[in-house]
Every structure is written in structure tokens, then in C-alpha cells.
């Protein structure tokens, strides 16, 4: 019993410190970096480093542009969580990469605040990814062939330092702003390092406390990624046809 209590206390205190460290890092970049673009890039990298620390090896996280087999591209996305086991990225140069649409599990925008304009902005970024064409072909294995995997819905969300509403994410204004997004622009999850977290993974709005926003957000995201399973097998011949035209 003592060991169980000690273990639970350790986990709570460790994640509390991790959350406080993220808060300090985000606040430091906001106050010490004067150029908005550079400040945004610093914040993105903070969150990417955090995700890479906790995501299983089958996933990768980076900023980039999502590309489909028709040659269509998304907007530049702050954080893309994608398959690193079966799907290569394309035309990588330094920290810039094109990620095949079939490889994408989730996309997030990193902003200073969760407010209505940034929710709408993140929703538009999500739409630029969801509108892309994704292929799926049968998978050949030693015993035969698995049928082509059905496509899952790509998860989208927002990560920020704080929340603009005085009541935080429990504000009715937040619920209205989130509800105003449509099926293409919807945001499934979000976290403010100093202001709580939310998700709609179960079909209803679930809110997490400001004190545990980081672990609540991370473990719910990991659970959601687990339910998505493996990404579809890419029809590489479709990509090849674009190049042959």
C-alpha cells in the first residue's frame, strides 16, 4: 500500500513539474522573443519536444506540409503526428518536410491563447489537411492479402499557453466558439498549459482541470491514437502517376 501511494504521488508530482516547466518555457518565449514568427517557432518546438518524449516509436511529430497523390498540399501545419514505421516523408530539407496524407494521424496548431479567432484559425488549418485525398490499398502478407483499410478521421486540435476567457474552458463562450466549427474544421482536442484541456473524443465535450491539463491531454491523446490503429497502405503508383504526367 505504501508503495502504491508513493508511486501515485510520484506520478502526480512529476507531471506537475513537467507542466510547470512547459508553462515557464512558453512564457519565456513570449516575453524574451520579440519577433512573432520566431516566437511561434520556439513555442512549436517546445511542444514538439514534449510530444516526442511521450509518443511511442511508431509515431513521429514535426511541423510540415501534408501532400496527397494528386499533388495537392495543405497549409503549413505547426504539429503533425504521423506514421514513422510504414510511410516515408518526402523531399525533406532541414526541418521542412512533405508528409503523405495517408501517414497523418493528427494535426495541431500552437498559439499563445485559446480564443475564438485562434479556434477558427486552427479549424481552417485542419480543413486544409482533411480535404486532401488519401489512398488505401490491400496489404500483402505471408498468408495472403488483407483488404484495404478504411480511412479514419484525422484528429485536429490546438495547444496554447493560456485561455482568453475569465472562466477558462468552462465559459459558455468557449463552448459556442467550438460548436461553431463544422465537420471539416472541427477541433477534437486542445490544451492550455495554464488553463486546462478539452476533447471531444467520446462525442461530448470533456474538460480537464488547469492543474492536470498536461497529463490529461497527453494520456487522452495517446488513447485516441491507439484506437486509430495503423495508417492505410499508400498507393504509391498514384503518387508515381503525378510525376509521370
Amino acid at each position: 500500500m505504501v508503495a502504491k501511494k508513493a508511486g501515485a504521488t510520484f506520478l502526480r508530482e512529476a507531471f506537475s513539474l513537467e507542466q510547470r516547466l512547459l508553462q515557464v518555457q512558453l512564457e519565456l518565449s513570449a516575453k524574451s522573443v520579440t519577433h512573432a514568427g520566431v516566437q511561434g517557432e520556439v513555442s512549436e518546438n517546445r511542444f514538439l519536444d514534449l510530444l516526442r518524449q511521450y509518443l511511442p516509436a511508431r509515431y513521429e511529430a514535426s511541423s510540415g506540409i501534408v501532400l496527397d497523390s494528386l499533388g495537392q498540399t495543405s497549409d503549413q501545419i505547426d504539429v503533425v503526428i504521423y506514421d514513422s514505421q510504414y510511410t516515408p516523408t518526402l523531399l525533406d530539407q532541414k526541418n521542412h518536410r512533405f508528409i503523405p496524407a495517408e501517414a497523418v494521424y493528427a494535426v495541431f496548431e500552437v498559439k499563445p491563447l485559446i480564443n475564438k479567432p485562434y479556434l477558427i484559425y486552427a479549424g481552417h488549418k485542419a480543413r486544409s489537411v482533411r480535404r486532401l485525398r488519401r489512398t488505401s490499398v490491400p496489404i500483402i502478407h505471408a498468408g495472403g492479402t488483407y483488404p484495404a483499410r478504411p480511412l479514419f478521421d484525422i484528429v485536429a486540435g490546438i495547444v496554447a499557453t493560456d485561455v482568453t476567457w475569465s472562466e477558462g474552458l468552462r465559459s459558455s463562450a468557449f463552448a459556442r466558439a467550438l460548436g461553431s466549427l463544422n465537420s471539416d474544421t472541427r477541433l477534437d482536442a486542445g490544451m492550455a498549459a495554464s488553463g486546462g484541456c478539452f476533447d471531444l473524443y467520446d462525442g461530448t465535450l470533456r474538460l480537464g482541470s488547469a492543474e492536470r491539463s498536461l497529463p490529461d491531454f497527453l494520456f487522452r491523446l495517446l488513447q485516441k491514437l491507439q484506437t486509430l490503429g495503423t495508417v492505410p497502405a499508400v498507393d504509391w503508383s498514384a503518387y508515381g502517376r503525378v510525376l509521370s504526367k
Side-chain angles (χ1 to χ4, degrees):
M1 182 64 70
V2 174
K4 287 183 179 180
K5 286 184 178 180
T9 300
F10 163 74
L11 282 175
R12 283 194 296 268
E13 291 179 350
F15 272 102
S16 177
L17 288 170
E18 190 87 77
Q19 183 171 325
R20 283 166 53 194
L21 176 60
L22 179 63
Q23 290 170 351
V24 170
Q25 289 173 332
L26 293 175
E27 289 169 5
L28 178 62
S29 66
K31 292 179 180 178
S32 62
V33 182
T34 56
H35 188 279
V38 176
Q39 182 187 118
E41 186 176 345
V42 171
S43 297
E44 289 167 28
N45 287 329
R46 298 289 190 197
F47 185 62
L48 283 168
D49 287 344
L50 181 70
L51 275 180
R52 289 167 183 150
Q53 183 178 343
Y54 290 101
L55 285 174
R58 66 182 293 185
Y59 306 105
E60 180 58 89
S62 73
S63 59
I65 293 174
V66 183
L67 171 77
D68 73 10
S69 59
L70 300 176
Q72 303 176 117
T73 58
S74 72
D75 296 338
Q76 173 73 23
I77 306 298
D78 290 346
V79 175
V80 185
I81 298 176
Y82 59 92
D83 166 66
S84 65
Q85 188 169 358
Y86 300 108
T87 321
T89 55
L90 307 172
L91 303 172
D92 288 7
Q93 296 189 40
K94 299 294 184 181
N95 294 325
H96 186 277
R97 58 190 45 176
F98 286 95
I99 301 162
E102 293 86 349
V104 177
Y105 285 102
V107 293
F108 288 90
E109 286 301 299
V110 181
K111 296 299 168 194
L113 288 170
I114 294 180
N115 60 19
K116 185 175 181 179
Y118 282 137
L119 287 173
I120 294 171
Y121 179 85
H124 288 165
K125 289 294 192 85
R127 180 174 61 191
S128 79
V129 174
R130 288 177 173 140
R131 70 178 178 83
L132 299 177
R133 179 176 184 262
R134 287 184 287 166
T135 63
S136 181
V137 297
I139 303 168
I140 299 172
H141 60 95
T145 303
Y146 291 126
R149 283 217 61 194
L151 301 175
F152 52 73
D153 291 332
I154 293 174
V155 173
I158 185 171
V159 178
T161 307
D162 210 341
V163 180
T164 194
W165 297 283
S166 59
E167 298 172 38
L169 298 178
R170 300 190 182 280
S171 166
S172 59
F174 164 70
R176 286 195 301 271
L178 192 64
S180 69
L181 303 174
N182 61 35
S183 59
D184 288 335
T185 61
R186 77 181 187 282
L187 298 181
D188 304 292
M191 179 193 72
S194 303
C197 62
F198 72 91
D199 70 64
L200 293 158
Y201 296 144
D202 300 325
T204 56
L205 181 60
R206 178 186 181 278
L207 301 177
S209 70
E211 293 77 17
R212 296 189 305 276
S213 60
L214 179 58
D216 280 356
F217 171 81
L218 278 175
F219 291 132
R220 292 281 292 178
L221 174 60
L222 289 171
Q223 180 66 40
K224 179 61 178 178
L225 292 174
Q226 193 176 65
T227 66
L228 299 181
T230 306
V231 294
V234 181
D235 181 1
W236 290 114
S237 64
Y239 283 83
R241 285 193 292 272
V242 172
L243 297 176
S244 66
K245 290 181 181 178

